[in-house]
């Protein structure tokens, strides 16, 4: 038996003119509103078109199905997060661990501010998560962070750096998602992010000490 065919999540065509780009932006804005109001279970192309004030035919010019709309929203969220974190951790004017602390605070705050839509997109992930486009987009953020780990743990073996980077990012994203599922005050967000940054900094410091001992023997 063959697996069910995954839906096409690519745009049918790219908006090349300002008017087309504006239409796509309107559809995506409407999609966010439908997600917030209806949730992913009641998310349909018809509801998005109605909210956007466009015909279903106009929507289908660009998005072949609801999975394509949801993936576009998710990929833009991934891209915005990657750009934000990239600007922080690639700032060579600040010490590495200071950048890591700033990254953790920015990520947790972002998770809390956009928890409703991100939660809905997580629920929709089975529609697109196995598609090559989704894997390629998600990998970009990991590549950025691994470059940072190569800097902060320079001199350590690559497998150690890769494992450390994977552990930190998995812990950050999983704990951040769980934390953001309930409302928190600014002070609570700062305390949570600070504690997590302390934990990551201590972990990295222990790896640096371990590597120093290895080099000394």
């Amino acid at each position: 038996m063959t697996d069910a065919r995954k839906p096409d999540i690519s745009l049918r065509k790219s908006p090349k003119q300002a008017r087309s780009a504006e239409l796509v932006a309107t559809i995506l804005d409407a999609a966010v509103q439908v997600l917030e109001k209806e949730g992913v279970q009641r998310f349909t192309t018809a509801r998005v078109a109605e909210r956007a004030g466009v015909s279903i035919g106009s929507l289908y010019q660009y998005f072949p199905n609801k999975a394509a709309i949801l993936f576009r929203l998710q990929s833009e969220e991934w891209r915005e997060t990657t750009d934000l974190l990239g600007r922080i951790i690639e700032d060579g004017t600040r010490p590495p661990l200071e950048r890591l602390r700033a990254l953790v605070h920015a990520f947790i705050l972002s998770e809390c501010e956009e928890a409703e839509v991100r939660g809905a997109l997580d629920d929709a992930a089975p529609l697109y998560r196995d598609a090559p486009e989704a894997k390629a987009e998600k990998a970009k953020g990991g590549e950025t962070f691994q470059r940072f780990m190569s800097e902060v743990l320079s001199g350590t073996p690559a497998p150690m750096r890769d494992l450390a980077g994977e552990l930190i990012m998995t812990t950050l994203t999983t704990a951040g998602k769980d934390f953001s599922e309930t409302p928190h005050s600014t002070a609570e967000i700062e305390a949570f992010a600070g504690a997590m940054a302390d934990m990551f900094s201590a972990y990295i410091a222990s790896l640096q000490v371990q590597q120093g001992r290895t080099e000394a023997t």
Side-chain angles (χ1 to χ4, degrees), residues 107 169-179 196:
F107 182 84
M169 286 306 296
T170 299
T171 302
L172 178 61
T173 54
T174 303
K177 178 181 179 297
D178 290 345
F179 180 75
M196 184 169 288

Side-chain angles (χ1 to χ4, degrees), residues 105-119:
H105 279 261
F107 182 84
I108 297 300
L109 179 60
S110 177
E111 284 286 300
C112 292
E113 289 178 341
E114 302 172 11
E116 191 169 5
V117 171
R118 289 191 180 191

Side-chain angles (χ1 to χ4, degrees), residues 195-212:
M196 184 169 288
D198 288 342
M199 180 177 67
F200 293 152
S201 296
Y203 173 49
I204 288 174
S206 71
L207 295 177
Q208 291 171 331
V209 169
Q210 179 181 334
Q211 181 60 22

Side-chain angles (χ1 to χ4, degrees), residues 68-87:
I69 300 174
L70 291 165
F71 172 67
R72 177 64 179 268
L73 292 176
Q74 180 66 88
S75 62
E76 288 191 356
E77 189 275 323
W78 281 335
R79 195 173 301 117
E80 289 173 1
T81 300
T82 298
D83 289 346
L84 170 65
L85 302 188
R87 287 194 299 271

Side-chain angles (χ1 to χ4, degrees), residues 28-41:
L28 293 175
D29 286 343
V32 171
Q33 295 174 36
V34 172
L35 270 182
E36 291 177 338
K37 183 178 180 181
E38 306 284 352
V40 71
Q41 299 302 323

Side-chain angles (χ1 to χ4, degrees), residues 51-97:
R51 173 72 64 169
V54 302
S55 69
I56 193 69
S58 295
L59 183 150
Y60 282 141
Q61 286 183 43
Y62 298 96
F63 300 99
N65 47 53
K66 70 177 184 179
I69 300 174
L70 291 165
F71 172 67
R72 177 64 179 268
L73 292 176
Q74 180 66 88
S75 62
E76 288 191 356
E77 189 275 323
W78 281 335
R79 195 173 301 117
E80 289 173 1
T81 300
T82 298
D83 289 346
L84 170 65
L85 302 188
R87 287 194 299 271
I88 294 172
I89 62 178
E90 293 175 352
D91 179 7
T93 65
R94 305 167 72 182
L97 292 184

